[in-house]
Amino acid sequence: MNPKLYTLLALADAFGVSILDLLDVDDSHTEAYERYYANDDDDSIYHNPEAFSKALGDHLQRLRWDRNLSQEDVARIAGITYNHYHFLEKGESRPGSPANPWLSTLISIANAFGVSLIDLLTVDD
């Protein structure tokens, strides 16, 4: 199974859980949960795929800067194209279209940064 980000957000919403709850299998990310639930209201970016895509892009950029990596470095390590990563960091799938990456892409990027998928998806409003 390799769903897209918007599918995961919709499933989480349908089940009345956070995307973090939906993806967490070992229940070890209490800080991520606390950050999510602190922002868990109808106006939260976790309920707005377009806003979430932009916030995720900003988060990817911060992770990359913290590690002194270029976009090319991250793309190479994650096994995706530079253009794909570049647009994800802008919060887009292509110009003018919000990012909606496959789960496998998110996992590859999380691995490239050395963070869990939950930590990758825990973004700031």
Side-chain angles (χ1 to χ4, degrees):
M1 184 164 104
N2 188 21
K4 293 196 116 184
L5 177 61
Y6 288 3
T7 303
L8 294 172
L9 290 169
L11 281 171
D13 197 45
F15 287 119
V17 299
S18 75
I19 190 172
L20 306 178
D21 287 325
L22 187 70
L23 295 173
D24 195 17
V25 293
D26 65 6
D27 203 29
S28 65
H29 297 87
T30 55
E31 182 180 333
Y33 288 126
E34 289 170 8
R35 288 176 60 196
Y36 173 86
Y37 288 114
N39 295 311
D40 189 25
D41 56 44
D42 289 338
D43 294 330
S44 170
I45 59 170
Y46 290 97
H47 297 284
N48 180 331
E50 292 82 8
F52 184 78
S53 295
K54 176 65 176 131
L56 177 61
D58 293 343
H59 185 57
L60 292 174
Q61 185 178 60
R62 282 191 303 277
L63 288 169
R64 181 173 59 80
W65 286 348
D66 289 348
R67 288 156 179 77
N68 294 316
L69 295 171
S70 68
Q71 289 182 338
E72 293 88 353
D73 293 334
V74 176
R76 181 181 41 75
I77 296 166
I80 61 177
T81 67
Y82 162 77
N83 284 339
H84 190 169
Y85 181 78
H86 172 75
F87 281 117
L88 288 176
E89 205 172 274
K90 289 177 63 174
E92 299 178 337
S93 290
R94 58 185 179 277
S97 176
N100 190 15
W102 294 102
L103 178 59
S104 60
T105 301
L106 294 170
I107 291 169
S108 294
I109 293 170
N111 289 337
F113 285 128
V115 300
S116 71
L117 181 59
I118 299 300
D119 291 334
L120 184 77
L121 295 175
T122 304
V123 298
D124 296 321
D125 280 343

